[in-house]
Amino acid sequence: STTLEGQYKEEHRKYGLIYSGIYNSTSGVNDLNQFIQAEKITKDINPVYSSIQKLHSRSTADGDLIAICEDRVLKILANKDALFNADGNPQLTATENVLGQTIPYSGDFGIATNPESFASESYRVYFSDKVRGAVLRLSKDGLTAISEAGMKDWFRDNLKLGNEIIGSYDDKKSEYYITIKKLNDESTTVSWKEDVKGWVSFKS
């Protein structure tokens, strides 16, 4: 009920998230249009990781949120926070936090500015890092540079030439496809298969 003076304009939050009230279809609660500033409705990450390019929530029991930035891959704990012992091991405890602590995955990789390279399958996610010339897989065992499976030099040379880097997943063949589109409209598609832990074919 007060008048605020100042200039207001659209703000792009490259390093943070804003969330609304809850939605529950069973009880008929829909607060998706409520953003109450008196409550803690923001979650900011370290700007040193550059902008958030992709958010993904895996359909697993933990339900944590994966935030893939230009230079790092992060896990944001959902509905819980992490308490650390003196030896550095985390002990999880439930809290009232909607979005809790931010934990970076080991490995200095991100998704650069190519969120279109992202594809998910079950508990695995795939994406590329154009800046570092790598293709990554995030799974239960952490972050792995799958481009190093016999294709390290090829991806390092070709990813930087890509205008668009498009990722997709074929459920029938169980293959991850990555298509590199260059400025001259030339494109190359390569496919990764988990069964053989390698790149199995080039496609037109």
Side-chain angles (χ1 to χ4, degrees):
S1 60
T2 184
T3 302
L4 299 177
E5 296 182 0
Q7 295 180 346
Y8 301 99
K9 59 183 179 180
E10 181 178 349
E11 178 187 3
H12 293 266
R13 293 179 56 86
K14 296 189 294 182
Y15 314 112
L17 309 172
I18 299 176
Y19 45 89
S20 67
I22 66 169
Y23 172 80
N24 189 328
S25 59
T26 306
S27 59
V29 176
N30 185 359
D31 293 337
L32 294 179
N33 65 336
Q34 291 189 12
F35 296 88
I36 303 173
Q37 291 185 333
E39 299 177 358
K40 186 184 181 302
I41 60 171
T42 61
K43 175 66 182 177
D44 291 300
I45 65 164
N46 194 333
V48 76
Y49 302 140
S50 296
S51 64
I52 299 172
Q53 292 287 315
K54 176 71 180 177
L55 293 174
H56 178 66
S57 179
R58 287 193 287 203
S59 56
T60 56
D62 56 19
D64 292 327
L65 185 67
I66 297 171
I68 308 179
C69 306
E70 291 182 49
D71 300 319
R72 206 66 190 267
V73 183
L74 311 169
K75 177 169 72 171
I76 302 175
L77 301 183
N79 296 320
K80 54 184 176 289
D81 223 335
L83 297 179
F84 290 87
N85 292 334
D87 58 2
N89 291 322
Q91 300 295 323
L92 296 182
T93 179
T95 69
E96 295 181 356
N97 288 344
V98 175
L99 296 177
Q101 191 158 351
T102 303
I103 302 173
Y105 285 96
S106 60
D108 293 326
F109 294 103
I111 201 169
T113 54
N114 300 102
E116 72 275 9
S117 68
F118 179 93
S120 66
E121 179 272 328
S122 186
Y123 55 87
R124 298 187 189 100
V125 299
Y126 303 89
F127 56 93
S128 71
D129 188 340
K130 178 180 177 179
V131 175
R132 294 160 188 84
V135 181
L136 292 309
R137 177 192 64 210
L138 179 62
S139 186
K140 291 181 179 178
D141 57 354
L143 203 57
T144 305
I146 59 175
S147 54
E148 294 188 0
M151 296 279 283
K152 181 178 181 179
D153 292 337
W154 190 89
F155 278 114
R156 188 171 52 195
D157 295 339
N158 286 272
L159 280 175
K160 62 185 177 185
L161 303 175
N163 186 36
E164 280 184 281
I165 304 170
I166 302 171
S168 59
Y169 193 86
D170 189 330
D171 290 323
K172 292 182 180 179
K173 295 183 178 180
S174 299
E175 292 180 353
Y176 167 66
Y177 298 127
I178 182 166
T179 301
I180 301 172
K181 289 189 173 182
K182 299 178 182 177
L183 288 171
N184 58 1
D185 289 335
E186 179 188 341
S187 65
T188 307
T189 300
V190 234
S191 59
W192 164 271
K193 197 171 181 67
E194 285 293 336
D195 293 348
V196 297
K197 303 293 181 189
W199 299 92
V200 291
S201 64
F202 282 82
K203 300 180 184 296
S204 61

